[in-house]
Amino acid sequence: MEKISSNMKTILITGGTGFLGRNLAPALTGAFRVVLTGRNNKQNNYAQAVTGCEVIPMDVANIEAVRDAFTEVRPDFVIHAAATKFVDLAEKQPMECIDVNVTGSQNVARVAVEKQVEVVLGISTDKAAPPVRNTYGLSKAIMERIFCSMNSKAQTRFACVRYGNVAWSTGSVLPIWKQMHEKDGVIRSTGPEMRRFFFTVDEAVKLVLTALENIEAIQGKVLSRYMKAAQIADLLNTWIENKGGSWERIEGRPGERNDEFLIGEIELPFTTELIYDGITHYLISFNEKVPKPLTVGLSSANTTRLSPSEMADLIDDARE
Ligand SMILES: NC(=O)c1ccc[n+]([C@@H]2O[C@H](COP(=O)([O-])OP(=O)(O)OC[C@H]3O[C@@H](n4cnc5c(N)ncnc54)[C@H](OP(=O)(O)O)[C@@H]3O)[C@@H](O)[C@H]2O)c1
């Protein structure tokens, strides 16, 4: 992170005590004063201990708490990673999901403008790409639109990044499989036939850094990047080959679907392809057709499959 490091500015990461925040903080420390926020004090203390960053409690669903935190921290940059992200929970408790992911994002956007924050970057998901299948995806699709729309209304530059599954992130398949494997050697999977985009947390961190470094070019838009995918059965088989044990199918959860989309069909006229650091990225705008649109959408069904060795590397890349 060198391009924007001339003056030590303050960067606040909402939900920075979570998996992404804890892994992003070290990449920003040195160039920025990094402040992480979260609600749960046990997790706040843990994040403080592992990152060495300042951590303060803040509930994004409460605008006064957001205002208090921004008054205290005076951030120049905000990375908005706070979210409730479990698809099945959001189907059962949609109100909580909307409070955190939609109202919380609105609160962050409103207070950022009020406090003249320079840049706000929202962290979105492939589940926000059309066709949206679940409440979590809808809530993140709204966050994307709130942020992209706010960009033209104030000095603050807003943008989002959108990506698929981060290996070893909180509550994702690999840590869950690890727990099951340690318990009785049997991994129970809800969707061996499903295909999912996967990359490492280092790649997620890199996408965030790329977005910050190129904020002038991407403001008001969503930046995504090419990702490979794996069929869950292949990932399971790779796990078993490398670590032993067995797997079996169990009943699916609400809100799940076989494939995910990073760029949906209806987004094509609004999406440009660009290259950053030799990697194909996609810049998605809303309501603004682009001169050279993408011609084919990107889904976990039509992207490149992760090779057995790439899957083994993901499995071995266990992170806290
Ligand atoms: N992991 C993935 O595969 C993936 C893929 C695409 C996009 N994303 C997005 O990336 C972001 C980070 O994900 P992650 O994997 O780091 O998730 P995580 O480990 O679950 O972290 C989420 C963070 O948000 C905080 N949070 C939740 N509700 C909050 C609230 N009301 N107010 C303030 N903080 C709140 C949590 O702390 P407390 O509960 O203590 O508040 C935690 O620090 C999320 O926005 C997620 O949607 C993740």
Side-chain angles (χ1 to χ4, degrees):
M1 195 72 241
E2 280 161 17
K3 286 186 191 169
I4 48 177
S5 65
S6 50
N7 298 319
M8 179 70 92
K9 299 211 173 198
T10 298
I11 194 155
L12 181 149
I13 310 179
T14 74
T17 59
F19 185 77
L20 176 71
R22 293 195 306 271
N23 285 283
L24 178 59
L28 295 167
T29 308
F32 291 95
R33 167 187 168 226
V34 181
V35 182
L36 312 179
T37 71
R39 292 167 307 178
N40 180 296
N41 280 325
K42 189 174 169 199
Q43 187 164 306
N44 289 357
N45 290 339
Y46 174 67
Q48 190 158 33
V50 296
T51 64
C53 293
E54 290 168 64
V55 179
I56 62 167
M58 180 184 87
D59 182 351
V60 293
N62 173 355
I63 193 162
E64 294 308 336
V66 178
R67 200 170 274 128
D68 290 345
F70 279 42
T71 300
E72 182 179 338
V73 173
R74 300 171 66 84
D76 302 291
F77 291 71
V78 171
I79 296 173
H80 178 46
T84 181
K85 64 168 194 180
F86 297 105
V87 168
D88 53 337
L89 261 185
E91 291 308 296
K92 287 185 204 132
Q93 278 89 31
M95 304 270 206
E96 208 263 343
C97 174
I98 301 306
D99 283 347
V100 177
N101 295 359
V102 178
T103 308
S105 299
Q106 268 189 322
N107 291 343
V108 168
R110 285 187 169 129
V111 176
V113 168
E114 200 177 291
K115 301 284 182 192
Q116 298 176 333
V117 170
E118 289 174 30
V119 172
V120 177
L121 184 69
I123 311 295
S124 189
T125 160
D126 52 355
K127 294 179 176 61
V132 176
R133 165 75 177 88
N134 48 53
T135 309
Y136 168 61
L138 284 168
S139 72
K140 285 286 190 169
I142 293 173
M143 180 200 74
E144 288 183 352
R145 280 161 179 79
I146 291 172
F147 279 17
C148 293
S149 150
M150 287 298 286
N151 186 61
S152 57
K153 299 196 170 85
Q155 294 275 312
T156 305
R157 283 161 293 170
F158 284 88
C160 292
V161 290
R162 183 198 284 176
Y163 52 77
N165 297 313
V166 182
W168 290 99
S169 61
T170 325
S172 63
V173 288
L174 295 178
I176 293 175
W177 291 358
K178 179 168 183 275
Q179 263 184 359
M180 292 178 184
H181 195 253
E182 282 168 357
K183 193 169 166 228
D184 59 6
V186 183
I187 297 173
R188 293 163 189 87
S189 169
T190 57
E193 66 288 338
M194 291 176 186
R195 287 174 287 232
R196 291 289 180 265
F197 290 105
F198 281 102
F199 67 1
T200 64
V201 70
D202 291 339
E203 290 172 309
V205 165
K206 179 75 182 85
L207 181 57
V208 170
L209 300 183
T210 300
L212 291 178
E213 284 165 2
N214 294 284
I215 192 67
E216 291 303 332
I218 70 155
Q219 60 180 307
K221 299 185 172 70
V222 177
L223 183 70
S224 190
R225 57 154 276 179
Y226 191 78
M227 287 181 75
K228 294 182 182 178
Q231 179 142 9
I232 298 298
D234 293 337
L235 200 56
L236 282 162
N237 289 332
T238 307
W239 180 292
I240 302 305
E241 272 163 31
N242 287 285
K243 297 181 184 292
S246 61
W247 65 266
E248 63 184 34
R249 175 195 297 272
I250 57 166
E251 204 183 318
R253 284 193 292 252
E256 287 185 331
R257 63 181 172 192
N258 275 356
D259 281 296
E260 300 290 0
F261 299 80
L262 256 186
I263 317 291
E265 289 284 317
I266 61 165
E267 294 182 309
L268 294 178
F270 308 96
T271 303
T272 314
E273 195 175 294
L274 32 112
I275 308 287
Y276 287 128
D277 300 316
I279 298 167
T280 301
H281 287 68
Y282 307 97
L283 196 58
I284 308 146
S285 58
F286 297 108
N287 311 316
E288 192 187 304
K289 290 196 174 168
V290 295
K292 282 190 186 165
L294 203 64
T295 50
V296 183
L298 189 64
S299 81
S300 53
N302 72 3
T303 194
T304 312
R305 291 285 181 93
L306 287 159
S307 68
S309 73
E310 286 171 325
M311 287 189 287
D313 286 347
L314 277 186
I315 290 168
D316 284 341
D317 188 36
R319 304 284 183 98
E320 292 292 309

